[in-house]
Amino acid sequence: MGSEVEKKAVFDTESAKEVVKELRDSFVAGKTKTYEWRRTQLAAMLKMMDENEPQIVAALSDDLSKPELESSIYEIAMLKNSCKLALKEMKHWMMPEKAKTSMTTFPSSAEIVSDPLGVVLIISAWNYPFLLSLDPVVGAIAAGNAIVLKPSEISPATASLLAKLVKKYLDCSCIKVVEGAVPETTALLEQKWDKIMYTGNGRIARIVMAAAAKHLTPVVLELGGKCPVIVDSGINLQVATRRIIAGKWGCNNGQACISPDYIITTKDYAPELVDSFKCELERFYGKNPLESKDLSRIVNSNHFARLLKLLDEDTVSSKIVYGGERDETNLKIAPTILLDVPKDSLIMNEEIFGPLLPIITIDKVEGSFDLINSSGTKPLAAYLFTNNKKLKEKFVEKVSAGGLVVNDTTVHLAEPALPFGGVGDSGMGAYHGKFSFDTFSHKKAVLYRSFAGDAAVRYPPYTAGKLRLMRALLGGSIMGIIRALLGWSKP
Amino acid sequence: MEETIAELRETFRSGTTKSVSWRKKQLKALLDLVNENEDSIFNALDQDLGKSRVESYRDEVGVVKKSATYSLSCLDKWVAPKKGEVPLLFFPAKAEVMPEPLGVVLIFSSWNFPISLALDPLIGAISAGNTVLIKPSELAPACLSFLVQTIPQYLDNKAIKVIGGGADVGERLLELKWDKIFFTGSPRVGRLVMTAAAKHLTPVTLELGGKCPAIVDNTLSNPSKAKVTAKRIVGGKWGPCTGQACIAIDYVLVEEKLASTLIDILKKYIKRFYGDNLKELKSISRIVNKNQFQRLVNLLKDPHVASSVVYGGSVDEEKLVIEPTILLDPPLDSEIMNEEIFGPLLPIITLKNIEESIEFINSKPKPLVIYAFTEDKAFKKRILSETSSGSVTFNDSMVQFLCDSLPFGGVGQSGFGRYHGKYSFDTFSHEKAVLHRAFYPELEPRYPPWTNFKLMFIKLAYGFNYFGLMLLMLGFKKS
């Protein structure tokens, strides 16, 4: 039919409208609401991963030079777990939740029903392009919605693989992938969605939320921030160092929203800590980390230039105690540690999102809480390594962040019982596990009343006696009600 | 204004509001405020809206008292961290979710329930440990004045403040950075609030409105049930602020053949509850101001709408009173059938078959509540699964508002976010995830350099395949 050479159609406002209309029609027809549909989609997603793991790993390698293990584990295995959990628990999640009723509404029964929101837009990021695209989709499917997924153009190989795989394995009348960059995203944001979930940075998040405001669309924003790590003395330094390295360079070479951004430790302990890092970093990545296959590269030249700018600032470059090597052709920067950069340096005032790790020293470890809170912004995660119980308690009490981990880094991501999300500048809303299901649902309150037991007190004409009884009913105590009925309480 | 927010921020930083005893003290003080000033509150509500004492107690004073008492009794439970189950793989580990206050919050309340819509969210904000600025609506000036004067007398002035003024004050407040904004009002202003909040990435809760329909099926054929239905519809329409309520019944859907039965019985109860004479209406509020009055009168101006009036329709411009009015089948494209009425006009729309009500409701934006008077189980199921609304109430009106265990909030155009009971506490909290790990045991395969063995190990670990892991480690699985 027609020419074999297809001109790639421009995805503009009209195209976006059509996509939304098609999905809305599918939703209204009830396609996504059935348990069967949700189950088959999630099962298909598992199959998709089983049958395409090498292709997914290859795309991630193309986009980020991501080591195979990171791709297999942090992108694929984590997503599989997400699907499996949803498949296992979905029936239970979908059941209405009984709610207690009180004397005030007696006799009645109440429940909370989970309704799908409708047609949702998921905009994902480039650093975990597979996971951050499909993990929210798992939640949206489990909750019974129709979905548009807009993967990041900064990881194009994964984006186009997603488009291909979703088309092949999932129900295209209800789940679509729209590829593109700013114009396509803008066209999508002009439409009316029932929910928008955005993973990315604060600047774009503001644009997303402002666009959502026009349609009163609720949003989930998964952003980032400078995730601090407080390192106390008197700990197993080797284990702590390794866990920090695993969370920093082991996670897409520091390009992760929950990667340790900077370290706070005491002036006394810093030398030991630096030595430990040098030792473990070499053990993990060898003497020439730029050649190591176990580190992702910097995603593109923009970010590469951005990171060099942080590193080469005058007052900062002299503070490098390890690393600093760079390879522009291959977009690689070696794991780099800096000691005591100035507080007003660029590197201490924006989210690093790369393989540079500043260590800030203070006199006493207790001072770290004020230091973190003084930044005025709340990070997505904060970490503490200590054996001091009181310090742990203070940390949990005083530091506000999306999530906290004591004696490890980043692993809370894999704990489905914990909500994953930010606060303040690190975002709003949360997901993972049942929280994903909830975030894409509307929790509808349902009250069942009967015709029996109609209290005249509710209706006018209002009298003092009715007022008495009304007080008692709202007060909810049986004695109060009896007293009122007998005329013994104040009008 | 910047000073006000700076003071609130400083108070929050000092940690005063985090203490549970401070929160309880404030809640108790709020109860005292309401108990000791009931008469002043009744007077203010009478001045602003012509509300009678019973209505004022039921919808405003009583609600605040109930809410504060409930929060006081549950607060210790609410602030406690919630433990989460941790898979064996993480052993030994402890996972919990800790609620913490968001910080400095802004509450906008509206004019129709000027006391409870200001103080009920305040209860949530205090329970969660925040500092608060309330901006009540200037369209209920006596109540605003009351709040501005009495709150500083009872509550901690450094942490809880009230500010008066009009839209310009609201606009300036929206330019500042808050940790949460709680807004009750119209969708139009809701958009402005959310757009302003977007600049600071401030989370918002929007409690809006919509056209809340009431479906009535053939339970009307049963005389005693018809009576109860009619009372509850009348009570649910004109009872709350003469229809000026987000959860008031906006319009009724009924089958053609039952329409006249319904209208007759509604008329009976309107007369009994409120009187049948415009001059002698009692136990009913008035319209808040000339603007709203004019808006409502204009809804009736359309000749096709005017001719559909079957009861009432008289207005008293001086006293800002509009008689309870029933309309039968006004044109579906008229304004009265397309904007939230928010007043004492009740259109009754007839359908050939009551099941069509579902499609009818779905053709309009999602409302805050759907009311359905029916005992048909299958029909109830259809309504629940085929419509979407903030909430659904079967066989009654309004009372879901009093149920603390049910979340109160909208969906779609009726808003997002929710409150009441523990939901109030949650809406003003950040649920912080906390994971405690130990230094031992250590899993070597977590660290590079990567090998196939490590890959296999982690894959099995992620699958929580403990048996497979054992086999691998004993050398029985190929890596």
Side-chain angles (χ1 to χ4, degrees):
Chain A
M1 119 187 189
S3 154
E4 281 301 336
V5 177
E6 251 183 53
K7 227 179 35 191
K8 189 153 195 217
V10 167
F11 188 90
D12 57 4
T13 310
E14 271 315 303
S15 327
K17 259 203 188 124
E18 274 170 35
V19 163
V20 175
K21 179 159 187 323
E22 185 186 347
L23 290 176
R24 208 163 277 294
D25 288 342
S26 298
F27 179 75
V28 165
K31 282 187 175 182
T32 60
K33 292 192 187 179
T34 66
Y35 172 75
E36 257 320 291
W37 181 88
R38 305 183 204 192
R39 196 192 61 76
T40 47
Q41 294 307 294
L42 292 175
M45 218 191 262
L46 277 175
K47 188 158 172 250
M48 173 180 91
M49 283 184 276
D50 284 334
E51 294 175 359
N52 293 276
E53 189 159 329
Q55 288 89 321
I56 299 169
V57 169
L60 289 166
S61 174
D62 254 351
D63 284 334
L64 298 150
S65 300
K66 203 171 265 216
E68 188 195 339
L69 187 136
E70 281 191 48
S71 298
S72 283
I73 303 308
Y74 296 128
E75 302 250 19
I76 301 173
M78 282 213 51
L79 186 62
K80 278 193 182 167
N81 272 0
S82 206
C83 278
K84 289 186 190 156
L85 182 68
L87 277 166
K88 182 164 162 247
E89 301 289 329
M90 198 163 52
K91 259 218 169 105
H92 177 65
W93 293 345
M94 282 170 71
M95 276 172 21
E97 200 190 303
K98 287 247 166 287
K100 256 173 51 176
T101 53
S102 66
M103 275 305 301
T104 321
T105 52
F106 182 83
S108 60
S109 69
E111 61 186 12
I112 301 169
V113 168
S114 296
D115 274 353
L117 285 164
V119 184
V120 308
L121 173 63
I122 295 170
I123 301 175
S124 70
W126 55 258
N127 57 340
Y128 286 83
F130 193 75
L131 178 71
L132 296 178
S133 296
L134 295 181
D135 203 1
V137 170
V138 168
I141 291 174
N145 301 278
I147 303 158
V148 167
L149 169 63
K150 162 69 189 67
S152 171
E153 68 279 14
I154 297 181
S155 44
T158 313
S160 76
L161 180 63
L162 276 168
K164 206 175 97 199
L165 292 177
V166 164
K167 205 167 179 180
K168 182 169 172 207
Y169 287 84
L170 303 182
D171 180 351
C172 296
S173 68
C174 302
I175 305 173
K176 293 189 186 294
V177 176
V178 172
E179 291 176 78
V182 173
E184 289 79 5
T185 311
T186 309
L188 288 171
L189 285 173
E190 283 169 6
Q191 308 309 313
K192 175 169 154 63
W193 304 93
D194 296 302
K195 184 121 189 183
I196 299 177
M197 174 157 165
Y198 169 77
T199 306
N201 66 61
R203 191 181 63 85
I204 307 288
R206 284 169 171 81
I207 297 173
V208 170
M209 189 169 167
K214 295 203 179 72
H215 297 287
L216 294 172
T217 299
V219 300
V220 171
L221 304 174
E222 294 270 330
L223 311 177
K226 291 182 79 60
C227 302
V229 185
I230 305 169
V231 182
D232 189 13
S233 52
I235 54 169
N236 184 324
L237 187 53
Q238 190 193 40
V239 171
T241 314
R242 291 172 149 204
R243 290 179 179 182
I244 296 173
I245 296 175
K248 175 85 173 182
W249 296 281
C251 282
N252 208 24
N253 206 12
Q255 299 164 105
C257 50
I258 45 172
S259 259
D261 187 280
Y262 67 102
I263 300 203
I264 306 175
T265 192
T266 57
K267 291 192 176 4
D268 290 336
Y269 202 59
E272 254 185 275
L273 182 59
V274 172
D275 282 339
S276 182
F277 268 119
K278 289 183 182 175
C279 178
E280 297 303 323
L281 278 169
E282 196 176 305
R283 196 194 301 243
F284 290 175
Y285 303 116
K287 284 196 184 332
N288 289 316
L290 288 177
E291 323 256 310
S292 169
K293 293 262 173 302
D294 294 334
L295 284 168
S296 297
R297 68 159 199 263
I298 306 306
V299 68
N300 61 20
S301 45
N302 271 350
H303 279 279
F304 186 83
R306 179 184 66 80
L307 287 163
L308 285 191
K309 194 158 163 236
L310 298 182
L311 196 55
D312 294 340
E313 200 184 0
D314 283 336
T315 47
V316 167
S317 52
S318 53
K319 307 284 184 189
I320 299 176
V321 295
Y322 181 86
E325 302 94 348
R326 71 287 301 270
D327 172 354
E328 185 154 0
T329 326
N330 293 306
L331 292 178
K332 292 205 169 201
I333 298 178
T336 301
I337 303 187
L338 306 97
L339 188 56
D340 278 324
V341 298
K343 260 178 89 174
D344 58 357
S345 54
L346 286 171
I347 201 174
M348 281 311 292
N349 284 287
E350 65 173 72
E351 187 178 356
I352 296 170
F353 225 70
L356 320 174
L357 182 69
I359 299 179
I360 306 293
T361 61
I362 49 177
D363 289 322
K364 281 175 140 198
V365 76
E366 286 82 2
S368 54
F369 307 138
D370 285 335
L371 186 62
I372 294 170
N373 289 337
S374 74
S375 72
T377 61
K378 302 177 186 179
L380 190 52
Y383 307 108
L384 168 67
F385 285 88
T386 185
N387 277 319
N388 181 330
K389 188 156 180 263
K390 269 206 119 75
L391 198 65
K392 289 181 193 179
E393 283 170 11
K394 269 198 139 179
F395 174 64
V396 171
E397 187 205 314
K398 284 188 175 268
V399 175
S400 182
L404 303 177
V405 185
V406 174
N407 293 333
D408 211 327
T409 63
T410 71
V411 286
H412 61 304
L413 191 76
E415 170 52 77
L418 289 175
F420 184 76
V423 64
D425 285 301
S426 52
M428 55 182 83
Y431 73 126
H432 282 186
K434 180 169 191 284
F435 302 100
S436 290
F437 175 86
D438 291 342
T439 220
F440 287 105
S441 299
H442 166 56
K443 300 288 179 176
K444 185 162 72 182
V446 184
L447 185 66
Y448 295 89
R449 291 266 294 155
S450 73
F451 287 101
D454 200 37
V457 66
R458 290 177 57 173
Y459 310 113
Y462 296 133
T463 60
K466 285 188 179 178
L467 180 53
R468 250 198 310 268
L469 200 47
M470 179 69 65
R471 279 177 197 282
L473 273 171
L474 280 169
S477 91
I478 303 211
M479 277 318 292
I481 295 173
I482 294 178
R483 272 206 294 272
L485 283 169
L486 294 172
W488 287 353
S489 51
K490 113 172 186 259
Chain B
M1 216 171 288
E2 280 80 357
E3 283 167 21
T4 309
I5 197 178
E7 186 180 352
L8 289 173
R9 207 164 277 295
E10 195 40 55
T11 308
F12 181 74
R13 237 199 292 271
S14 73
T16 319
T17 61
K18 286 198 179 180
S19 109
V20 176
S21 58
W22 177 88
R23 305 182 205 187
K24 287 187 175 172
K25 189 153 168 255
Q26 297 307 300
L27 292 174
K28 290 201 182 100
L30 191 59
L31 276 173
D32 288 339
L33 185 161
V34 173
N35 280 325
E36 292 168 17
N37 293 280
E38 243 182 55
D39 283 331
S40 309
I41 296 176
F42 287 153
N43 286 336
L45 286 165
D46 182 38
Q47 254 190 280
D48 282 337
L49 294 151
K51 274 195 200 192
S52 60
R53 289 168 74 98
V54 174
E55 197 183 321
S56 296
Y57 190 86
R58 184 195 67 201
D59 295 344
E60 307 251 19
V61 174
V63 166
V64 175
K65 284 199 308 202
K66 188 176 69 60
S67 211
T69 311
Y70 185 69
S71 294
L72 271 166
S73 68
C74 297
L75 196 56
D76 288 318
K77 204 169 57 166
W78 293 347
V79 298
K82 272 200 305 258
K83 296 234 171 297
E85 221 188 80
V86 185
L88 191 60
L89 188 67
F90 284 91
F91 182 83
K94 189 174 80 159
E96 55 188 14
V97 177
M98 274 207 53
E100 59 172 31
L102 288 164
V104 184
V105 312
L106 174 62
I107 295 174
F108 283 109
S109 61
S110 80
W111 52 260
N112 53 346
F113 294 89
I115 300 296
S116 57
L117 292 180
L119 299 182
D120 204 359
L122 175 65
I123 289 169
I126 293 174
S127 307
N130 301 278
T131 55
V132 190
L133 177 63
I134 310 174
K135 164 70 186 71
S137 168
E138 72 281 15
L139 298 182
C143 289
L144 169 55
S145 193
F146 169 81
L147 288 171
V148 167
Q149 274 165 19
T150 31
I151 286 194
Q153 288 169 15
Y154 287 81
L155 301 181
D156 183 345
N157 210 14
K158 291 206 162 68
I160 302 165
K161 294 184 186 293
V162 187
I163 190 169
D168 55 328
V169 171
E171 269 172 43
R172 276 160 59 207
L173 286 173
L174 286 173
E175 286 168 10
L176 305 171
K177 178 173 158 63
W178 303 92
D179 297 306
K180 173 110 189 186
I181 300 178
F182 185 98
F183 172 80
T184 306
S186 72
R188 188 188 65 87
V189 183
R191 285 181 176 83
L192 297 172
V193 170
M194 188 173 170
T195 306
K199 297 201 182 75
H200 296 289
L201 293 175
T202 299
V204 301
T205 291
L206 302 177
E207 295 271 330
L208 311 177
K211 292 182 80 59
C212 301
I215 304 170
V216 186
D217 78 354
N218 56 18
T219 35
L220 274 180
S221 318
N222 175 319
S224 65
K225 294 191 177 145
K227 278 195 192 144
V228 175
T229 300
K231 283 199 273 184
R232 290 175 179 182
I233 292 178
V234 173
K237 173 70 177 187
W238 294 282
C241 211
T242 199
Q244 300 167 107
C246 51
I247 47 174
I249 294 177
D250 188 281
Y251 65 100
V252 175
L253 292 162
V254 71
E255 265 176 18
E256 261 173 349
K257 59 184 200 278
L258 291 167
S260 50
T261 314
L262 178 62
I263 293 174
D264 285 339
I265 201 169
L266 286 176
K267 283 187 196 174
K268 174 169 151 202
Y269 284 106
I270 291 174
K271 291 181 192 168
R272 187 187 299 191
F273 291 175
Y274 311 115
D276 56 5
N277 187 324
L278 176 67
K279 298 285 171 213
E280 291 166 7
L281 279 183
K282 47 189 167 37
S283 297
I284 192 170
S285 307
R286 62 151 213 273
I287 308 304
V288 67
N289 61 21
K290 272 205 155 41
N291 265 351
Q292 289 293 322
F293 181 87
Q294 205 49 56
R295 179 185 67 82
L296 288 162
V297 162
N298 287 344
L299 290 179
L300 294 174
K301 276 215 164 81
D302 180 338
H304 296 291
V305 173
S307 61
S308 70
V309 173
V310 295
Y311 180 86
S314 330
V315 309
D316 180 338
E317 185 160 355
E318 204 196 303
K319 295 217 176 87
L320 292 180
V321 176
I322 297 178
E323 228 194 319
T325 301
I326 304 179
L327 304 94
L328 179 59
D329 281 322
L332 293 180
D333 60 357
S334 56
E335 231 179 312
I336 201 174
M337 281 314 293
N338 287 288
E339 64 169 71
E340 188 177 357
I341 296 171
F342 224 70
L345 319 174
L346 181 70
I348 296 183
I349 306 295
T350 60
L351 306 163
K352 288 237 165 359
N353 182 319
I354 198 61
E355 308 255 335
E356 293 165 26
S357 53
I358 291 180
E359 211 185 302
F360 189 94
I361 292 173
N362 287 342
S363 71
K364 296 194 179 301
K366 301 177 187 181
L368 195 49
V369 193
I370 293 176
Y371 297 104
F373 291 86
T374 173
E375 287 183 316
D376 182 338
K377 272 210 165 100
F379 190 39
K380 284 187 189 180
K381 257 192 145 159
R382 272 199 72 201
I383 293 173
L384 275 184
S385 63
E386 294 177 35
T387 64
S388 184
S389 56
S391 61
V392 178
T393 298
F394 288 110
N395 299 329
D396 209 334
S397 62
M398 305 290 298
V399 286
Q400 75 277 10
F401 195 74
L402 299 173
C403 197
D404 278 321
S405 60
L406 285 177
F408 182 77
V411 66
Q413 294 288 97
S414 48
F416 52 82
R418 59 220 187 140
Y419 72 128
H420 283 186
K422 179 168 193 287
Y423 299 103
S424 291
F425 175 88
D426 290 343
T427 219
F428 289 103
S429 299
H430 164 55
E431 304 204 316
K432 186 164 72 181
V434 183
L435 183 65
H436 290 266
R437 292 262 296 146
F439 285 102
Y440 311 103
E442 251 294 75
L443 288 177
E444 281 303 315
R446 278 182 70 170
Y447 310 113
W450 303 131
T451 60
N452 276 334
F453 173 86
K454 290 185 180 180
L455 178 54
M456 180 100 265
F457 185 98
I458 301 182
K459 271 192 175 167
L460 290 167
Y462 263 63
F464 301 115
N465 186 345
Y466 302 113
F467 186 64
L469 274 173
M470 224 171 54
L471 290 179
L472 178 71
M473 298 211 280
L474 291 171
F476 288 124
K477 234 179 170 35
K478 217 176 73 150
S479 68

